[in-house]
Amino acid sequence: MSNPSRFSVNNTDINRVTLDGQICIEKTIRCNVRLPFSLEKLKGYLEDYRGMLIDAGVRMPDVVDSRVVGDRVKYVCEDGGDNLVERYTSPGELVRDYPQVVLQVIDILRLAIDAGISIDPHIKNFVGDAGGLLYVDFSPPLIDGFVNARYSVARDDRERRILQANFSYFTAPYLPFHFAGDFLNIDDTADELFPDLRELLITAGLIEDVTMSSFAEQAKAIRALEDERLSRDIFMM
């Protein structure tokens, strides 16, 4: 198993640890920006968001322990196994050889959409296999209280506009295109998979009447703005 921290783009360390003989995931969350509230308040937002996802039917690993330690929030969760980037040799193998797994991801996205909850559709956030996937990402907490607080400490209007666009991409109207665009984060030739992904999203009922050119354009635009945010060191948390 590879080091899970390599999949985190925020200031978060993710490691496998052994607790009482059980292999767990330890997630240590540090803020990259000075937020207008305490870490205890941040932990409350994280737990509220996680609870909303679970209430919507999204299966997540159990939390074994959580606490604020110094300037960090630590969570220890059960280990759900490799994520979908680790599990498959390439995005093409996943999409073309295991479409039933992709459809499980889409089903989880649908649960969040139906509940009106934002969610990060990147396949690194899904662990397990065709027998059942778990969603693991609850940081940053994609809920109004946190998001509005993050806007309030933006350095300037440009940063605020980029943040507003990026946070919007986790919402229902953009999720199908965001899902496809994130494959470019794994493989910059993954636009070759856009026709397959579009067909799977149509089959699942998440999109309809979207031309291939429009689908690709929206997916690439979302990925491009995410890359711009990262290149400008604009952190979501």
Side-chain angles (χ1 to χ4, degrees):
M1 293 182 179
S2 62
N3 177 8
S5 284
R6 71 187 179 95
F7 297 105
S8 176
V9 297
N10 293 300
N11 198 7
T12 300
D13 294 323
I14 304 172
N15 296 289
R16 285 186 168 90
V17 299
T18 301
L19 185 65
D20 297 330
Q22 177 185 1
I23 297 176
C24 298
I25 292 290
E26 181 182 69
K27 183 171 186 175
T28 304
I29 302 165
R30 290 172 291 178
C31 293
N32 297 282
V33 296
R34 186 180 296 277
L35 295 166
F37 46 69
S38 67
L39 285 179
E40 287 77 10
K41 179 70 170 179
L42 172 61
K43 185 172 181 289
Y45 280 136
L46 292 166
E47 292 174 0
D48 287 348
Y49 178 53
R50 185 175 178 277
M52 290 167 63
L53 288 166
I54 291 171
D55 288 346
V58 176
R59 295 177 59 234
M60 304 182 74
D62 289 338
V63 171
V64 178
D65 186 34
S66 65
R67 63 188 69 189
V68 173
V69 181
D71 63 347
R72 308 171 187 187
V73 181
K74 286 196 173 187
Y75 280 86
V76 178
C77 305
E78 66 176 356
D79 185 0
D82 288 344
N83 68 47
L84 297 185
V85 179
E86 297 171 300
R87 186 170 293 276
Y88 298 97
T89 58
S90 69
E93 181 194 20
L94 169 62
V95 173
R96 291 175 173 151
D97 297 343
Y98 298 91
Q100 71 276 17
V101 176
V102 179
L103 287 170
Q104 282 192 45
V105 172
I106 294 170
D107 285 342
I108 292 171
L109 300 182
R110 189 204 320 278
L111 291 172
I113 289 171
D114 289 348
I117 302 170
S118 296
I119 191 170
D120 186 344
H122 198 299
I123 59 171
K124 67 181 173 59
N125 296 324
F126 299 84
V127 301
D129 54 28
L133 296 181
L134 301 176
Y135 180 75
V136 299
D137 190 25
F138 53 95
S139 171
L142 301 174
I143 55 178
D144 288 346
F146 172 83
V147 171
N148 289 330
R150 178 62 187 92
Y151 294 156
S152 75
V153 294
R155 291 171 292 189
D156 51 38
D157 287 343
R158 179 172 63 183
E159 176 170 303
R160 185 175 295 104
R161 286 194 300 270
I162 290 173
L163 283 167
Q164 288 171 337
N166 269 267
F167 277 116
S168 74
Y169 292 157
F170 299 107
T171 65
Y174 301 99
L175 273 175
F177 312 104
H178 188 169
F179 172 60
D182 273 349
F183 279 81
L184 293 170
N185 177 244
I186 307 164
D187 180 352
D188 58 13
T189 68
D191 54 345
E192 298 173 352
L193 302 174
F194 283 0
D196 303 88
L197 292 168
R198 175 176 169 270
E199 286 304 313
L200 289 168
L201 287 160
I202 290 172
T203 297
L206 256 63
I207 60 172
E208 57 182 21
D209 299 328
V210 179
T211 65
M212 187 63 245
S213 60
S214 176
F215 181 85
E217 181 181 357
Q218 292 184 71
K220 289 178 179 180
I222 289 171
R223 184 65 244 169
L225 190 64
E226 175 77 357
D227 290 340
E228 180 183 1
R229 180 181 68 78
L230 294 172
S231 71
R232 294 183 182 278
D233 290 331
I234 298 174
F235 296 97
M236 302 186 87
M237 189 171 74

